[in-house]
Amino acid sequence: RRPRPGRQAIRTPATDAWLFRLSQLESTPSRADGIDKELERRLMVACVKYIGDCAQLLQIPQLTVGVAATFFQQFYMLESMVRHKPHEVAASCLFLACKVNETHRKLK
């Protein structure tokens, strides 16, 4: 989104921490651990779909689902899918997104 006239976007080290260069996107920790590009992409898509399916069953708002998917993608920019099971991380991201957005659901 572009800033309104007369206003400039605020850039801080914190906001730049989650902006990645193409070279960084091509050399994730999962790739370093031997997962090829296509498998990594398929796992990401499947797990984000899993987040959406779980959210639909729990009637969680789309904003919270988007936050969970963002958490999931950011996590795997720093950690490997070999060391952390993707579906467990996906469930954890949905849980954390509910906490952050104050979307209250009982744990079952």
Side-chain angles (χ1 to χ4, degrees), residues 49-101:
K49 183 178 180 331
Y50 175 71
I51 289 171
D53 292 344
C54 291
Q56 188 174 14
L57 289 173
L58 296 169
Q59 298 178 343
I60 293 173
Q62 281 297 305
L63 177 63
T64 304
V65 175
V67 170
T70 300
F71 285 168
F72 182 79
Q73 292 169 346
Q74 289 176 343
F75 180 83
Y76 281 118
M77 284 304 296
L78 303 175
E79 295 292 334
S80 173
M81 290 182 173
V82 172
R83 286 177 260 157
H84 303 279
K85 296 178 182 176
H87 281 84
E88 290 177 5
V89 172
S92 299
C93 289
L94 184 57
F95 175 77
L96 289 175
C98 286
K99 289 282 202 184
V100 168
N101 285 351

Side-chain angles (χ1 to χ4, degrees), residues 37-53 69 72-73 76 81 86-87 90:
K37 183 178 180 177
E38 183 59 27
L39 177 59
E40 183 182 38
R41 187 193 67 76
R42 284 197 323 254
L43 284 169
M44 292 290 267
V45 168
C47 288
V48 170
K49 183 178 180 331
Y50 175 71
I51 289 171
D53 292 344
F72 182 79
Q73 292 169 346
Y76 281 118
M81 290 182 173
H87 281 84

Side-chain angles (χ1 to χ4, degrees), residues 11-22 24-25 74 77:
R11 293 187 66 149
T12 66
T15 58
D16 289 344
W18 296 112
L19 299 175
F20 298 100
R21 291 185 175 88
L22 183 58
Q24 292 172 300
L25 295 172
Q74 289 176 343
M77 284 304 296

